[in-house]
Amino acid sequence: MKADLKELPVETMDLQMGPSHPATHGTIKFDLKLEGEKVLECDVAVGFLHRGFAKMCEQATWTQVIPYTDRLNYVSPLINNVGYALAVEKLLGVETPPRCQFIRVIMSELSRITDHLTCCGMAASELGAITVGFYLVEARELLMRIIEAVTGARLTISYTRIGGVKHDLPEDFGEQVAKAFEKTRRLIADCERLLSRNRIFIDRMSGTGAISRELALSYGLTGPVLRSTGVSYDVRKAQPYLVYGQLDFEVPLGARGDNYDRFICRMLEIGQSMRIVEQALEKMPVGPVLLDDPRVVLPEKEKVYNSIEGLMHHFKIIMEGIHVPAGEVYLPVEGGNGELGFYIVSDGGGRPYRVRVRPPCFIAMSAFHEMIRGAMVADIIPTFGMINMIGGECDR
Amino acid sequence: MEDSPNISYLRARLGGKILDSHAFRGDDTIVVAREELREIFRFLKEDPQIDLSFLTDITAVDYLGKKSPRFEVVYHLYSLKAGHRLRVKVPVPQEDPAVDSLVPLWKGANWLEREVWDMFGIRFRGHPDLRRVLLYEEFEGHPLRKDYPVNQRQPLVPERELAGTFVDQRSDNKLLQLQQKLTAKR
């Protein structure tokens, strides 16, 4: 009887999942071809959040682009800020003061932790482990408060300036971080106990959404998705920018390239990021946080209000923009989801000629059909969750 | 300016195929013609010494009125073993905006090339599925071209007919009633 049942012909069904689906956080559409519950083909349609980031950047001055970069990956906006500022500084040929570099590292790592916490928490809660979702979002909230105390905003932070950061860290920053990390570690340990031997969680994650190392490299995947296949590529190690070369940390690797390995990679990276922040706080020198270069940096407000030269200087930078020499640079940083690259072209004026962002999750989504082919509809949820597609960055 | 070691090596191996090169701010860059694009990339990918086997990014720049030919398709490659990067630029004229696709070499080129087509209207010969990726098919023009005005409006497009879609024909289907009402008005 059972053998007969297997041979029954099954009609394929087309199903559109999305663009607004409760289990996919992010506006995206999957055009599925199904045979029962098995996914035969999956065509991913992105672009629902496209708002012309590159075109807008061409209209703005170099400094005015910074708020736009907040809205790329809005789960870890500080990394976008830092990446863009570093790219423009590379084109200008200037280097920021040491304290600023440490601050940028610390803030990037805090952002990375919030990114991974959001990703892991949401992925777990979509699989029914809502407690874990709440715990990790609580941990994220602790760090968000610190980010808010430093930058004045939670998501749209615009903290970096070209040539430095907006202002120094608050005085009790070290204690705030120590307290938040202690709690975060406890929450993560709780989640680990809830998940690491949880049958349902492992069944849903282990072996699903897998991609081979060769395919991952062919698709140009980066970040936790690539590292889960065992390829050790992290921009912070491969081409250390800022002060990452002076800090001791490890790059967690997976082996099988499935959702479970991605999850573990992200969870371990949270620990490494905490290590980086703690080391950086210890090593951080005192000094200015903004470059002392009148070509790049706005004058102090006191000069602007009290002297005509200061006012003119301020006016010129605001209205005309910083003059960046003609040329082109590509600068990659390690974002929450992988290599976040900025390719910028200047024609020597006060406005960018072209700003191109290499979006890690756009490229990860281009390999999505490979991860999901032959799997069940239900496997889409954890796979999509572990890629952590962020509409703002994917669709720009 | 003196060439960096990688560019010297490429000049020795590729010779006249490299039209221009520079290493501005430490970014090795070569300019090649589009005619032999695929062979050059195959060499860059498979040569054991240069080993640029990781395709990082494909994009384009429109140099309207600044350069001739007008477009440049820009590729960024990376070597996982040696840790160096290379930028390859391919000039593309306005009259025939097309280059060979790199999908046979890297699967990741698929969406990246679709995005360049979408934003710049540069075609990729031999691409398996050259559709728009971020915008919709009915979009008019290619927005990242410099002659596309920033405040350009797009015409409204009619609702797409979806073949094989299940429509609830029962009388209490509110959506159907609404549709009928709207068509009656027209």
Side-chain angles (χ1 to χ4, degrees):
Chain A
M1 180 68 195
K2 266 187 181 169
D4 290 349
L5 267 179
K6 267 184 191 163
E7 279 165 29
L8 278 176
V10 183
E11 204 179 318
T12 61
M13 176 170 73
D14 294 331
L15 183 75
Q16 293 193 32
M17 190 169 163
S20 183
H21 190 275
T24 61
H25 44 252
T27 318
I28 191 162
K29 194 176 83 175
F30 304 105
D31 287 330
L32 304 169
K33 201 173 261 309
L34 302 176
E35 190 188 270
E37 274 223 58
K38 209 171 99 186
V39 180
L40 297 180
E41 274 168 53
C42 170
D43 182 33
V44 183
V46 296
F48 294 93
L49 215 62
H50 180 67
R51 57 215 181 278
F53 169 80
K55 194 79 176 172
M56 286 197 296
C57 290
E58 290 167 16
Q59 320 302 319
T61 64
W62 291 97
T63 319
Q64 283 170 340
V65 172
I66 292 173
Y68 295 151
T69 62
D70 290 346
R71 284 123 176 110
L72 287 171
N73 183 342
Y74 36 75
V75 193
S76 50
L78 276 151
I79 303 179
N80 312 331
N81 272 194
V82 169
Y84 172 74
L86 280 173
V88 180
E89 284 155 14
K90 185 176 174 188
L91 196 48
L92 279 162
V94 296
E95 197 165 299
T96 46
R99 186 176 174 84
C100 162
Q101 301 204 9
F102 274 96
I103 292 178
R104 282 181 177 181
V105 166
I106 292 169
M107 298 310 286
S108 297
E109 292 309 315
L110 286 180
S111 248
R112 188 182 323 282
I113 300 171
T114 59
D115 190 303
H116 288 343
L117 286 172
T118 318
C119 171
C120 294
M122 288 302 112
S125 72
E126 275 159 12
L127 301 183
I130 293 187
T131 318
V132 175
F134 285 138
Y135 280 12
L136 293 184
V137 168
E138 188 188 337
R140 182 181 81 140
E141 192 55 35
L142 296 167
L143 302 171
M144 279 294 198
R145 270 188 214 144
I146 295 176
I147 291 174
E148 201 176 359
V150 176
T151 66
R154 289 164 61 86
L155 297 175
T156 53
I157 38 121
S158 302
Y159 181 56
T160 63
R161 295 289 177 269
I162 291 158
V165 292
K166 190 165 72 178
H167 47 64
D168 209 335
L169 302 172
E171 265 175 32
D172 61 339
F173 182 77
E175 292 122 62
Q176 281 188 37
V177 168
K179 251 190 233 162
F181 276 9
E182 198 202 323
K183 267 194 181 171
T184 308
R185 285 202 167 103
R186 234 177 21 234
L187 285 163
I188 290 174
D190 281 349
C191 293
E192 202 120 350
R193 274 202 295 280
L194 282 169
L195 293 181
S196 63
R197 289 171 64 196
N198 183 325
R199 174 80 195 274
I200 303 170
F201 185 72
I202 291 172
D203 278 357
R204 293 287 303 271
M205 298 289 273
S206 182
T208 58
I211 193 163
S212 73
R213 187 178 299 183
E214 291 70 36
L215 263 182
L217 288 172
S218 180
Y219 272 99
L221 303 185
T222 48
V225 185
L226 178 66
R227 289 194 287 272
S228 72
T229 65
V231 181
S232 175
Y233 175 57
D234 185 317
V235 187
R236 294 173 295 170
K237 280 278 186 206
Q239 292 183 319
Y241 52 98
L242 294 169
V243 289
Y244 280 111
Q246 303 171 30
L247 302 167
D248 178 35
F249 64 99
E250 280 158 28
V251 180
L253 295 181
R256 293 184 300 165
D258 60 358
N259 287 326
Y260 192 70
D261 281 13
R262 282 169 209 157
F263 182 83
I264 297 296
C265 274
R266 282 188 192 264
M267 289 302 262
L268 292 175
E269 265 179 44
I270 295 174
Q272 295 300 323
S273 291
M274 289 189 192
R275 263 180 78 192
I276 295 175
V277 173
E278 283 160 351
Q279 286 173 50
L281 275 173
E282 250 172 50
K283 288 190 179 172
M284 187 161 61
V286 285
V289 293
L290 206 56
L291 197 67
D292 184 21
D293 187 339
R295 290 176 307 152
V296 181
V297 174
L298 283 173
E300 290 157 34
K301 284 285 172 287
E302 207 188 334
K303 282 186 193 158
V304 179
Y305 292 132
N306 296 320
S307 74
I308 185 69
E309 290 79 15
L311 184 67
M312 278 159 66
H313 182 194
H314 185 91
F315 183 81
K316 288 282 250 187
I317 286 189
I318 295 289
M319 298 309 288
E320 288 176 9
I322 300 162
H323 285 269
V324 176
E328 52 187 341
V329 289
Y330 176 77
L331 192 124
V333 293
E334 183 70 24
N337 296 328
E339 177 179 331
L340 176 75
F342 283 90
Y343 170 63
I344 54 177
V345 181
S346 168
D347 60 350
R351 285 160 209 274
Y353 192 72
R354 170 100 174 91
V355 178
R356 153 78 180 166
V357 182
R358 180 206 190 264
C361 54
F362 176 79
I363 290 162
M365 285 319 291
S366 78
F368 190 79
H369 64 283
E370 299 274 5
M371 301 176 193
I372 211 68
R373 187 177 291 142
M376 296 292 195
V377 177
D379 294 338
I380 292 176
I381 304 304
T383 309
F384 181 69
M386 290 324 293
I387 286 179
N388 195 19
M389 197 277 292
I390 306 292
E393 178 188 276
C394 183
D395 302 342
R396 282 153 292 137
Chain B
M1 199 162 59
E2 208 168 288
D3 282 343
S4 72
N6 279 335
I7 293 185
S8 314
Y9 174 74
L10 289 176
R11 274 202 182 280
R13 292 299 304 273
L14 293 170
K17 287 175 191 162
I18 297 180
L19 306 177
D20 194 8
S21 71
H22 70 73
F24 181 70
R25 302 275 187 244
D27 286 6
D28 290 342
T29 307
I30 59 172
V31 183
V32 300
R34 59 173 170 160
E35 278 71 32
E36 287 164 286
L37 187 79
R38 213 174 274 168
E39 291 81 76
I40 291 171
F41 275 100
R42 194 179 299 277
F43 168 77
L44 293 172
K45 186 186 175 191
E46 286 164 8
D47 181 68
Q49 192 172 334
I50 199 80
D51 181 54
L52 290 157
S53 56
F54 190 84
L55 176 73
T56 307
D57 193 21
I58 302 176
T59 186
V61 185
D62 178 4
Y63 290 102
L64 178 67
K66 285 181 185 285
K67 273 191 196 176
S68 178
R70 176 178 167 185
F71 298 105
E72 261 176 10
V73 180
V74 185
Y75 301 84
H76 285 96
L77 301 177
Y78 177 67
S79 165
L80 281 167
K81 281 187 202 128
H84 54 240
R85 289 179 192 276
L86 180 75
R87 180 183 306 131
V88 182
K89 302 206 288 180
V90 182
V92 180
Q94 183 177 355
E95 306 80 53
D96 173 31
V99 288
D100 286 337
S101 168
L102 292 188
V103 176
L105 292 174
W106 285 284
K107 293 195 170 183
N110 190 325
W111 275 32
L112 292 167
E113 288 177 350
R114 275 174 71 186
E115 192 186 333
V116 174
W117 155 247
D118 195 352
M119 295 294 154
F120 290 91
I122 296 171
R123 292 203 158 272
F124 289 85
R125 283 186 291 251
H127 191 288
D129 180 26
L130 197 64
R131 285 176 293 151
R132 287 183 182 269
V133 63
L134 291 178
L135 301 172
Y136 47 96
E137 279 308 318
E138 296 87 348
F139 194 93
E140 289 176 7
H142 299 281
L144 281 184
R145 288 188 171 197
K146 289 283 176 184
D147 53 6
Y148 184 94
V150 70
N151 55 356
Q152 174 82 45
R153 309 286 298 191
Q154 287 288 325
L156 288 175
V157 289
E159 199 178 329
R160 276 185 213 162
E161 287 288 330
L162 284 173
T165 315
F166 173 74
V167 179
D168 189 358
Q169 296 290 350
R170 283 170 300 181
S171 59
D172 60 341
N173 182 350
K174 291 282 186 297
L175 194 71
L176 197 69
Q177 287 170 13
L178 188 71
Q179 267 177 358
Q180 281 163 354
K181 223 187 219 171
L182 284 173
T183 33
K185 252 187 200 170
R186 264 181 227 152

